Amino acid sequence: MPFLSVKNLGVSFGGLKAVDGFSLEMGKDELLGLIGPNGAGKTTVFNLLTGVYAPSQGSVSFNGKIISKLRTSAINDAGIARTFQNIRLFKNLSVMDNVRIALHGSMRYSPLTGILRLREYWEQEEETDRRAVEILEVFGLSDAKDEKASSLPYGRQRKLEIARALGSSPKLLLLDEPAAGMNHSETSELMDTISFVRKKFSVAILLIEHDMQLVMGICERIVVMDYGTVIASGSPEEIKSSKVVIAAYLGE
Amino acid sequence: MEEIRKKHFRSFAINFLLLAALYAIFLASFKSGILNNYYQGLICYMLINIMLTVSLNLTTGFLGQLPLGHAGFMAVGAYASGIFTKTVLLPPAVSLALALAISSLMAFACGIAIGVPALRLKGDYLAIITLGFGEIIRNVILNLKITGGTSYRGIPQHAGFTSIFWITAACVYIISALISSRHGRAILSIREDEIAAEACGINTTFYKLFAFSLSAAAAGAAGALYASYQTVLTPASFTYNQSIEMTIMVVLGGMGSITGSIASAAVLTLLPAFLSDLAKYRMLIYSILLIVIMIFKPAGLLGSREFSMRRLIAKLRRREAN
Ligand SMILES: Nc1ncnc2c1ncn2[C@@H]1O[C@H](COP(=O)(O)OP(=O)(O)OP(=O)(O)O)[C@@H](O)[C@H]1O
Ligand SMILES: [Mg+2]
């Protein structure tokens, strides 16, 4: 059974079929790019995979388990974490707390243990802090750990979102336009970080991106979407020379 | 890491000593007659209001929802405790302890019953449903035989300054300790961004219900203290005006600041009593205060800041060194 298997997924908003008959298979250590013109339905696929929207058709199985009926938090428990196209940080909380919240599921102590500050509370909180700092260091954010998330500059907020997603120890990471709004050098740095993260956290990555430098640079395989469905898939070279893809981007 | 634990323990010890000192001062002034019975009653009333405000802040400031039925949960607790202590005769301390347990459990159960449907709705709907709940409770109390209609008398006075003081302190401790645990952070994440919270593995339905019912339980316990201190209950003390007043106290102090809740509950309870001429205009003054605060300090007096004795001492030391 494939690691991630999406079959015939679909959802519509009013009369609009935002995703329609979308299918995808993904291996356990793949770094897969998902591209397509604006409004193709890429973000909606992420929302379907993570249970933010309930699919009206199709199914998703992940790691040997059907997840398409689960709620978002249960899908995260199953091992899928994500970032958002328009950043959704816990703005008024500290950088550290943003990551700590993602580590919630790795702690086990009960409310009573927490209130009474029993030993388990301290042990698990200390372990959480250690891991949170470790993740923040990967993104060069540990110096800002006590700052409010909203006080970070845009580029660092994007990084913090990835850091937070890694907090829940996912097996699959969904990144929605991680390089949006970044300049050339920031994008190159981000590419290195993504490759590093993939190895260090041994996580599969599905990545939506408009920046072709990034997508072509790090993805082994690319899936192209248009009008809610897959129109092509293959290696970066194959995609670059595909007539269908070029037509879709030129809007023909 | 050991150091963090030590620091926490130290600040806990400092706060506890401070609290004990405050308690001793109050007690001495009651015993010596510096503060007469009227003031003792006022202080007890203030403490109960602190408990109500801090617990309401859990849902309003920390969870980020706007319920308007806190007085309803308080009423459930008050009548449960009143009826229990009056009908089952036990030694005062045992009776009070059991009454607190029963009241908070009953309010907790009501919190779950209301929360399950209400928390699915957002903003105004939650406010309306909880407002409706408060009014229903009040009418039920008014019409049931067991609650004595317009007034329920003869409740034994088991609660006094000492028990009210320490139970309020315990309640404040529980809520602030909860906030800085993983469960509290889960609650905060819902206020910040529900979808992102879910995506981080937080079951937002569970934690919303958890925070809301816990806040209801604390209101129930406050109701029990109120009943056991007042000895007389009337449904008129639990109208939606009371709920709104509690919300005003939370908003003025700062949504998400426990210190702010304590301060604003204290000030808004004591002020009208001292300026008794103003009592008539209380709601008017509240409204004006609220408008002024909303214009100049929309996050409330303290925003989400907390007072810390340890930080204050550190600051003073630094100033001395300079
Ligand atoms: N919640 C929603 N309600 C109504 N329509 C929606 C909703 N979400 C997405 N859509 C529509 O579905 C279509 C696909 O949107 P989606 O955001 O998935 O595109 P995308 O491929 O991510 O585009 P972009 O590259 O611009 O981010 C669009 O036409 C969009 O307007
Ligand atoms: Mg998108």
Side-chain angles (χ1 to χ4, degrees):
Chain A
M1 200 159 188
F3 178 60
L4 174 74
S5 158
V6 183
K7 288 207 184 80
N8 195 29
L9 203 60
V11 72
S12 21
F13 301 111
L16 175 83
K17 287 188 168 166
V19 172
D20 187 15
F22 178 91
S23 299
L24 177 77
E25 284 195 357
M26 199 178 157
K28 171 155 139 312
D29 40 20
E30 243 190 307
L31 172 48
L32 186 68
L34 182 60
I35 66 170
N38 289 111
K42 305 178 295 294
T43 299
T44 307
V45 166
F46 272 20
N47 284 334
L48 290 170
L49 292 179
T50 54
V52 174
Y53 299 147
S56 53
Q57 65 174 58
S59 70
V60 182
S61 86
F62 174 71
N63 216 9
K65 195 169 151 192
I66 305 285
I67 58 160
S68 32
K69 291 253 158 30
L70 299 180
R71 67 181 296 149
T72 305
S73 55
I75 291 175
N76 179 268
D77 292 341
I80 301 183
R82 68 174 290 184
T83 65
F84 296 88
Q85 184 170 352
N86 34 13
I87 307 179
R88 281 176 174 268
L89 286 172
F90 304 127
K91 287 199 197 74
N92 296 304
L93 305 184
S94 70
V95 165
M96 192 69 172
D97 273 341
N98 269 268
V99 183
R100 280 190 188 121
I101 286 165
L103 283 156
H104 177 87
S106 69
M107 290 179 270
R108 284 280 162 264
Y109 68 80
S110 70
L112 198 62
T113 304
I115 288 164
L116 296 176
R117 297 290 195 255
L118 300 183
R119 208 181 61 221
E120 278 159 286
Y121 167 86
W122 292 110
E123 284 171 359
Q124 295 178 21
E125 287 288 329
E126 280 160 12
E127 172 64 11
T128 291
D129 284 9
R130 204 184 53 67
R131 279 173 62 190
V133 169
E134 191 180 87
I135 297 171
L136 287 174
E137 265 162 8
V138 171
F139 294 88
L141 283 168
S142 53
D143 60 317
K145 70 184 167 66
D146 297 320
E147 273 168 46
K148 236 187 187 188
S150 61
S151 74
L152 295 182
Y154 182 81
R156 298 189 99 191
Q157 291 196 16
R158 282 237 170 263
K159 287 183 185 167
L160 175 56
E161 238 202 351
I162 306 177
R164 183 182 68 183
L166 287 168
S168 55
S169 311
K171 298 185 192 76
L172 171 63
L173 181 60
L174 310 179
L175 301 176
D176 198 343
E177 301 197 21
M182 289 191 177
N183 63 32
H184 195 80
S185 74
E186 282 173 323
T187 303
S188 310
E189 191 199 319
L190 181 71
M191 283 167 70
D192 294 340
T193 314
I194 291 176
S195 305
F196 177 75
V197 159
R198 183 185 172 198
K199 294 217 178 61
K200 179 169 163 84
F201 296 91
S202 44
V203 62
I205 298 177
L206 177 58
L207 176 133
I208 297 176
E209 192 48 75
H210 282 297
D211 187 310
M212 288 304 144
Q213 173 209 353
L214 188 146
V215 179
M216 299 295 169
I218 58 173
C219 298
E220 288 118 26
R221 191 159 71 92
I222 295 171
V223 170
V224 190
M225 273 188 90
D226 200 13
Y227 295 111
T229 194
V230 176
I231 56 165
S233 96
S235 68
E237 282 66 37
E238 286 165 352
I239 296 301
K240 265 187 232 166
S241 56
S242 157
K243 287 210 184 70
V244 211
V245 175
I246 295 166
Y249 270 91
L250 295 177
E252 275 162 31
Chain B
M1 284 298 167
E2 273 293 304
E3 209 179 302
I4 296 183
R5 280 189 222 190
K6 254 188 216 145
K7 231 191 227 168
H8 270 270
F9 183 75
R10 212 177 307 140
S11 84
F12 180 84
I14 292 174
N15 285 332
F16 184 79
L17 286 178
L18 224 67
L19 215 55
L22 195 65
Y23 168 73
I25 292 170
F26 273 130
L27 203 64
S29 16
F30 297 147
K31 289 262 144 68
S32 64
I34 295 174
L35 293 176
N36 63 23
N37 271 345
Y38 168 73
Y39 288 109
Q40 180 165 349
L42 193 63
I43 300 285
C44 288
Y45 188 51
M46 173 192 86
L47 289 167
I48 292 172
N49 274 339
I50 288 177
M51 198 159 153
L52 289 163
T53 310
V54 170
S55 61
L56 181 60
N57 206 345
L58 183 60
T59 9
T60 308
F62 295 104
L63 180 65
Q65 307 279 333
L66 184 67
L68 289 175
H70 217 51
F73 295 120
M74 182 190 179
V76 169
Y79 277 88
S81 139
I83 293 166
F84 172 76
T85 50
K86 190 176 162 183
T87 39
V88 185
L89 299 173
L90 290 166
V94 179
S95 175
L96 181 63
L98 282 176
L100 279 166
I102 292 170
S103 318
S104 38
L105 274 177
M106 279 193 65
F108 187 78
C110 288
I112 289 178
I114 295 299
V116 168
L119 290 168
R120 286 166 191 235
L121 307 168
K122 290 213 165 84
D124 307 342
Y125 295 106
L126 177 68
I128 291 164
I129 290 197
T130 47
L131 201 71
F133 160 77
E135 286 306 282
I136 290 170
I137 286 291
R138 200 170 59 81
N139 278 293
V140 167
I141 289 168
L142 204 55
N143 289 299
L144 280 184
K145 231 190 195 101
I146 188 171
T147 48
T150 50
S151 83
Y152 186 79
R153 291 165 185 285
I155 302 168
Q157 194 181 44
H158 290 332
F161 169 71
T162 301
S163 50
I164 294 177
F165 184 92
W166 289 109
I167 289 164
T168 302
C171 175
V172 171
Y173 168 77
I174 288 173
I175 290 175
S176 54
L178 179 81
I179 292 302
S180 52
S181 74
R182 72 184 184 109
H183 309 283
R185 286 193 299 263
I187 292 167
L188 287 168
S189 74
I190 295 172
R191 175 191 75 189
E192 293 295 309
D193 191 320
E194 222 175 303
I195 292 181
E198 274 281 335
C200 287
I202 307 293
N203 184 332
T204 56
T205 309
F206 174 82
Y207 279 103
K208 272 193 215 169
L209 201 58
F210 175 73
F212 182 69
S213 318
L214 203 64
S215 144
L225 291 179
Y226 180 81
S228 293
Y229 187 74
Q230 290 282 318
T231 72
V232 181
L233 294 174
T234 68
S237 341
F238 306 103
T239 61
Y240 64 89
N241 267 323
Q242 259 64 39
S243 294
I244 291 172
E245 226 173 282
M246 292 173 207
T247 307
I248 291 176
M249 288 179 183
V250 169
V251 173
L252 280 182
M255 297 214 243
S257 166
I258 289 175
T259 320
S261 286
I262 296 173
S264 82
V267 171
L268 291 186
T269 313
L270 298 180
L271 211 59
F274 283 110
L275 311 168
S276 52
D277 291 343
L278 289 181
K280 273 182 283 185
Y281 305 107
R282 199 177 58 189
M283 276 325 254
L284 184 68
I285 293 169
Y286 279 11
S287 319
I288 293 171
L289 254 172
L290 204 58
I291 293 169
V292 170
I293 293 264
M294 286 301 112
I295 291 172
F296 295 103
K297 239 175 163 319
L301 282 179
L302 285 177
S304 58
R305 275 185 295 269
E306 298 291 359
F307 169 76
S308 145
M309 199 58 205
R310 203 163 40 76
R311 226 181 308 142
L312 184 71
I313 291 173
K315 210 181 212 168
L316 290 176
R317 269 207 199 130
R318 230 176 300 139
R319 194 168 294 166
E320 236 164 64
N322 289 341

Coordinates of all heavy atoms in Angstrom, one line a residue, chain B residues 40 126 131 162 206 266 271:
Chain B
Q40 N -16.6 43.8 56.2 CA -16.2 42.4 56.0 C -17.1 41.8 54.9 O -16.6 41.0 54.0 CB -16.4 41.6 57.3 CG -16.1 40.2 57.2 CD -16.0 39.5 58.5 OE1 -15.9 40.2 59.6 NE2 -15.9 38.2 58.5
L126 N -23.4 32.3 20.4 CA -23.0 31.8 21.7 C -23.6 32.8 22.8 O -24.1 32.3 23.8 CB -21.5 31.7 21.8 CG -21.0 31.2 23.2 CD1 -21.5 29.8 23.4 CD2 -19.5 31.3 23.3
L131 N -27.1 33.6 27.1 CA -28.0 34.6 27.7 C -29.4 33.9 28.0 O -30.0 34.1 29.1 CB -28.2 35.8 26.7 CG -28.7 37.1 27.3 CD1 -27.6 37.8 28.1 CD2 -29.1 38.0 26.1
T162 N -12.6 33.6 56.0 CA -11.5 32.7 55.8 C -11.7 31.7 54.7 O -10.9 31.6 53.8 CB -11.2 31.9 57.1 OG1 -11.0 32.9 58.2 CG2 -10.0 31.0 57.0
F206 N -13.1 19.7 21.9 CA -12.8 19.2 23.3 C -12.4 20.4 24.2 O -12.9 20.6 25.3 CB -11.8 18.1 23.3 CG -11.4 17.7 24.7 CD1 -12.3 16.8 25.4 CD2 -10.3 18.2 25.3 CE1 -11.9 16.4 26.7 CE2 -10.0 17.8 26.6 CZ -10.8 16.9 27.3
A266 N -12.1 43.9 41.9 CA -11.9 44.6 43.2 C -12.4 46.0 43.1 O -13.2 46.5 43.9 CB -10.5 44.5 43.7
L271 N -15.6 50.4 44.6 CA -15.8 51.8 44.3 C -17.3 52.2 44.5 O -17.5 53.2 45.2 CB -15.5 52.0 42.8 CG -15.0 53.4 42.5 CD1 -13.7 53.8 43.3 CD2 -14.6 53.5 41.0

